[in-house]
């Protein structure tokens, strides 16, 4: 059995308009999607190696008497696009036609037979049978379709939705991911967009649609659609113009319909080696910070700004944008987007290649690769400024032993701030990274731990005991690299 043929972007094509299946209810137009996998399987079974496409088309006609003819014809035409086809003629039909016309015109039956006879002898083929062997219906199927019924149904539904969007002049998309690729594709297709928040959405229009209706931009909406439906969750709203003599505008709304063929989107792909190295280095160096690549986009002046990275620690969030060599126009646009966010953005600027004036922004320059240590020190200074006005923190522990890390996570503050600002609760003592109840400390004073291994004591009482041992009068005598023996020192009051 042949492996299934992957359906790639080049296969996404509109159906012929006369095959579009939809219904109009009031001011809405609704695509008539299909989930008929049995019909898809039956159509696929007709395509056998050695048959001509035209022969299969004739066989499929009986299905049009049972099912919606538009559906049958649409599925048929999509399968034909994936077929491995070839000509049945050993000589290219265009050569046969050229030779026949060179010997013409043949005005009588005798002249016609004479011309056919000459070409038959010259080319050793039957010219009458093979003259149009390169037409699609005359092409011979070389192998069975490598498309599953499930994929064919999803592909048909996507093509149907694309076909209806061909008549649209405005498209609004709500998606949960893949923002950067959608915006990039829209720009390549010549589509303008406006971004809005609450909820985050993009409205696409073509330049000419502002003054004149044109199907060119509907075509581009259709080409953009695969990238939208590949970003879960998603929803689209469109204004579609229908009608021959009297044209009316209808609303199209579709969201999260599962049976649409989606693209495989690799959101982990980095734009450059500089970005990739920075991401890896930051995770290794700034372990107390979280880093996210291409976080949720921000709406800035009806445009979408998708930062390269977001780093956060507690309540401190900083967007990081890496700027290398770009055109001055790109830098100008980038500056306009970043301007309202200048206090929240750190710009990493390639000083050898970059152009543009970033004065007034938080800038760290780099050559070839970013010095993550310098970035980390800058973030520490931001963190200190963020919390320098924090008052004394009161906290009521819920257990006998509480780590400062747990307190920090519960209050949403860095451990360093907790360590500096926390008021030690009554009945507890601050020991390194822990708050320990005085009763626990007193009970351990009455236990003789001398001569025991550190690993055993930690397993019995917990990690906090390491911070407590010096206060109980114990030192450690290391036995190798991983364990130690507790030694009792002078009595501690």
């Amino acid at each position: 059995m042949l492996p299934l043929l992957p359906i790639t972007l080049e296969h996404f094509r509109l159906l012929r308009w006369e095959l579009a299946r939809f219904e109009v209810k009031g001011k809405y137009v609704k695509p008539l999607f299909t989930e008929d996998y049995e019909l898809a399987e039956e159509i696929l079974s007709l395509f056998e190696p050695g048959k001509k496409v035209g022969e299969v088309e004739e066989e499929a006609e009986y299905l049009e008497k049972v099912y919606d003819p538009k559906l049958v014809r649409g599925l048929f035409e999509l399968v034909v696009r994936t077929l491995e086809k070839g000509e049945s003629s050993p000589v290219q039909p265009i050569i046969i036609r050229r030779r026949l016309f060179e010997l013409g015109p043949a005005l009588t039956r005798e002249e016609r037979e004479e011309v056919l006879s000459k070409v038959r002898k010259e080319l050793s083929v039957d010219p009458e049978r093979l003259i149009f062997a390169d037409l699609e219906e005359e092409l011979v199927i070389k192998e069975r379709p490598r498309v599953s019924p499930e994929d064919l149904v999803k592909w048909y539904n996507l093509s149907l939705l694309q076909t209806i969007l061909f008549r649209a002049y405005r498209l609004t998309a709500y998606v949960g991911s893949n923002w950067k690729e959608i915006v990039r594709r829209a720009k390549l297709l010549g589509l303008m967009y406006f971004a809005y928040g609450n909820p985050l959405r993009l409205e696409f229009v073509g330049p000419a649609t502002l003054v004149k209706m044109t199907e060119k931009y509907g075509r581009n909406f259709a080409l953009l659609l695969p990238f939208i439906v590949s970003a879960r969750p998603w929803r689209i709203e469109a204004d579609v113009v229908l009608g021959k003599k009297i044209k009316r505008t209808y609303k199209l709304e579709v969201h999260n319909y599962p049976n649409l063929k989606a693209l495989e989107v690799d959101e982990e792909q980095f734009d450059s080696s500089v970005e990739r190295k920075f991401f890896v280095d930051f995770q290794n160096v700034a372990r107390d910070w979280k880093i996210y690549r291409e976080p949720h986009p921000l709406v800035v002046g009806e445009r979408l700004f998708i930062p390269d990275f977001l780093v956060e620690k507690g309540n401190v969030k900083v967007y990081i944008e890496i700027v290398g060599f770009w055109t001055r126009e790109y830098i100008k646009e980038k500056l306009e987007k970043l301007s309202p966010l200048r206090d929240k953005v750190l710009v990493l600027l390639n000083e050898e290649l970059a152009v543009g004036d970033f004065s007034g922004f938080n800038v760290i320059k780099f050559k070839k690769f970013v010095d993550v240590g310098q970035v980390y020190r800058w973030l520490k200074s931001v963190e200190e400024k963020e919390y320098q006005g924090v008052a004394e923190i009161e906290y009521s522990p819920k257990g006998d032993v509480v780590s400062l890390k747990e307190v920090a996570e519960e209050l949403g503050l860095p451990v360093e701030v907790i360590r500096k600002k926390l008021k030690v609760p009554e009945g507890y003592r601050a020991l390194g990274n822990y708050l320990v109840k005085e009763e626990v400390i007193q009970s351990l004073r009455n236990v003789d731990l001398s001569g025991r291994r550190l690993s055993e004591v930690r397993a019995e009482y917990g990690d906090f005991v390491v911070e407590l041992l010096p206060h109980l009068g114990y030192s450690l005598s290391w036995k190798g690299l991983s364990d130690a023996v507790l030694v009792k020192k002078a009595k501690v009051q």
Side-chain angles (χ1 to χ4, degrees):
M1 186 178 191
L2 289 170
L4 294 180
L5 178 70
I7 304 242
T8 60
L9 187 58
E10 68 183 25
H11 291 119
F12 290 112
R13 296 290 187 271
L14 281 64
L15 299 171
R16 289 185 287 121
W17 178 251
E18 54 266 30
L19 298 181
R21 301 169 63 245
F22 58 86
E23 62 180 8
V24 174
K25 288 187 177 181
K27 63 179 181 179
Y28 291 93
V29 56
K30 178 183 178 182
L32 296 178
F33 296 129
T34 184
E35 296 181 7
D36 197 331
Y37 301 108
E38 289 185 6
L39 173 59
E41 186 172 10
E42 191 166 358
I43 289 177
L44 287 168
S45 69
L46 298 177
F47 292 85
E48 297 179 357
K51 285 184 178 180
K52 292 183 179 180
V53 173
E55 293 172 351
V56 176
E57 187 174 8
E58 290 179 3
E59 293 178 11
E61 288 180 359
Y62 80 90
L63 292 174
E64 297 180 10
K65 299 177 182 180
V66 181
Y67 301 93
D68 184 341
K70 290 185 178 181
L71 175 58
V72 174
R73 180 63 52 177
L75 291 169
F76 171 84
E77 292 188 2
L78 291 178
V79 176
V80 170
R81 295 177 191 176
T82 70
L83 288 176
E84 184 70 25
K85 305 180 290 288
E87 298 172 1
S88 57
S89 175
V91 178
Q92 292 183 10
I94 191 173
I95 296 176
I96 298 174
R97 290 195 293 271
R98 183 184 301 124
R99 189 65 184 126
L100 286 170
F101 291 130
E102 287 173 352
L103 295 173
L107 303 178
T108 66
R109 182 187 296 261
E110 291 75 15
E111 290 175 341
R112 179 176 179 275
E113 288 300 328
E114 184 181 353
V115 169
L116 289 173
S117 178
K118 286 183 179 180
V119 175
R120 188 178 296 114
K121 290 178 180 179
E122 288 180 11
L123 302 179
S124 299
V125 296
D126 182 352
E128 194 170 12
R129 184 174 65 85
L130 301 175
I131 183 173
F132 295 117
D134 53 351
L135 296 182
E136 184 169 73
E137 60 265 26
E138 293 295 323
L139 296 179
V140 176
I141 301 170
K142 291 188 174 182
E143 62 182 31
R144 293 186 180 278
R146 293 163 61 187
V147 179
S148 69
E150 293 76 16
D151 272 352
L152 179 57
V153 165
K154 290 182 179 181
W155 184 19
Y156 170 84
N157 289 334
L158 178 65
S159 296
L160 174 61
L161 188 54
Q162 287 179 298
T163 302
I164 296 174
L165 279 180
F166 183 71
R167 300 295 177 94
Y169 65 89
R170 179 179 287 108
L171 172 67
T172 302
Y174 306 73
V175 297
S177 60
N178 202 28
W179 292 98
K180 190 170 185 178
E181 183 63 19
I182 291 171
V183 171
R184 187 175 76 87
R185 293 285 174 173
K187 289 181 177 180
L188 290 174
L189 291 168
L191 295 170
M192 296 189 299
Y193 77 90
F194 300 95
Y196 305 95
N198 301 317
L200 186 60
R201 63 196 186 277
L202 296 175
E203 182 180 290
F204 298 97
V205 294
T209 63
L210 301 177
V211 293
K212 181 183 178 182
M213 176 61 191
T214 172
E215 290 180 345
K216 172 183 177 182
Y217 300 104
R219 170 188 173 276
N220 291 343
F221 293 155
L223 293 175
L224 185 64
L225 182 66
F227 297 93
I228 295 174
V229 302
S230 302
R232 301 283 178 168
W234 62 270
R235 183 167 101 244
I236 63 168
E237 299 172 358
D239 295 323
V240 180
V241 177
L242 301 175
K244 294 181 179 179
K245 293 183 178 180
I246 301 177
K247 296 185 181 297
R248 291 188 174 90
T249 301
Y250 298 91
K251 296 288 185 183
L252 171 69
E253 295 182 0
V254 185
H255 68 281
N256 292 333
Y257 181 68
N259 285 324
L260 295 177
K261 189 63 182 174
L263 300 170
E264 295 295 329
V265 179
D266 181 10
E267 294 194 82
E268 296 303 316
Q269 188 176 12
F270 289 90
D271 293 338
S272 67
S273 58
V274 174
E275 285 189 14
R276 182 183 296 105
K277 181 170 172 48
F278 173 78
F279 184 78
V280 173
D281 290 349
F282 188 91
Q283 289 179 310
N284 292 332
V285 173
R287 300 194 173 203
D288 50 339
W289 287 74
K290 295 179 180 178
I291 182 170
Y292 306 94
R293 181 180 172 272
E294 292 185 357
H296 200 62
L298 306 172
V299 178
V300 184
E302 294 190 341
R303 291 194 238 177
L304 210 62
F305 170 52
I306 307 174
D308 291 329
F309 302 99
L310 166 66
V311 296
E312 66 176 7
K313 181 179 179 182
N315 295 327
V316 181
K317 293 184 178 182
V318 176
Y319 297 102
I320 295 180
E321 185 73 8
I322 298 178
V323 179
F325 176 71
W326 301 98
T327 64
R328 292 185 181 275
E329 291 75 17
Y330 177 89
I331 293 297
K332 181 181 178 181
E333 180 183 2
K334 179 74 70 175
L335 287 170
E336 290 174 355
K337 284 186 178 182
L338 293 177
S339 184
L341 304 168
R342 65 176 70 229
D343 293 334
K344 300 178 182 178
V345 175
L346 171 63
V347 178
L348 303 180
L349 189 64
N350 188 330
E351 63 180 13
E352 294 181 324
L353 303 176
V355 296
D357 181 12
F358 281 84
S359 58
F361 288 87
N362 301 308
V363 175
I364 292 179
K365 295 183 179 181
F366 69 92
K367 293 182 179 180
K368 295 183 179 179
F369 294 105
V370 178
D371 181 352
V372 175
Q374 187 177 0
V375 174
Y376 184 52
R377 289 190 293 273
W378 183 86
L379 290 173
K380 294 283 285 184
S381 67
V382 171
E383 184 183 11
E384 289 174 2
K385 291 178 183 178
E386 179 73 17
Y387 296 112
Q388 63 185 0
V390 175
E392 188 177 52
I393 300 171
E394 294 190 0
Y395 180 77
S396 299
K398 297 180 178 62
D400 293 341
V401 179
V402 180
S403 71
L404 296 187
K405 183 179 179 181
E406 292 177 278
V407 178
E409 290 176 352
E410 184 176 339
L411 300 181
L413 294 170
V415 173
E416 292 81 359
V417 175
I418 296 297
R419 186 175 283 112
K420 292 178 182 178
K421 300 289 186 176
L422 181 65
K423 179 181 178 181
V424 179
E426 186 177 350
Y428 283 80
R429 186 183 299 186
L431 297 174
N433 294 310
Y434 296 90
L435 293 175
V436 183
K437 211 169 189 176
E438 290 285 1
E439 295 173 6
V440 173
I441 298 174
Q442 191 58 44
S443 65
L444 285 174
R445 287 187 187 279
N446 299 325
V447 178
D448 184 10
L449 301 175
S450 58
R452 295 187 61 181
R453 288 188 172 276
L454 177 61
S455 58
E456 296 174 357
V457 175
R458 290 180 68 178
E460 182 175 350
Y461 295 102
D463 290 339
F464 81 94
V465 76
V466 178
E467 311 271 9
L468 180 58
L469 289 174
H471 299 274
L472 298 178
Y474 291 95
S475 62
L476 299 177
S477 176
W478 288 95
K479 306 297 181 182
L481 298 176
S482 60
D483 209 352
V485 172
L486 276 60
V487 178
K488 187 74 173 179
K489 298 188 295 185
K491 187 175 181 180
V492 177
Q493 298 295 329

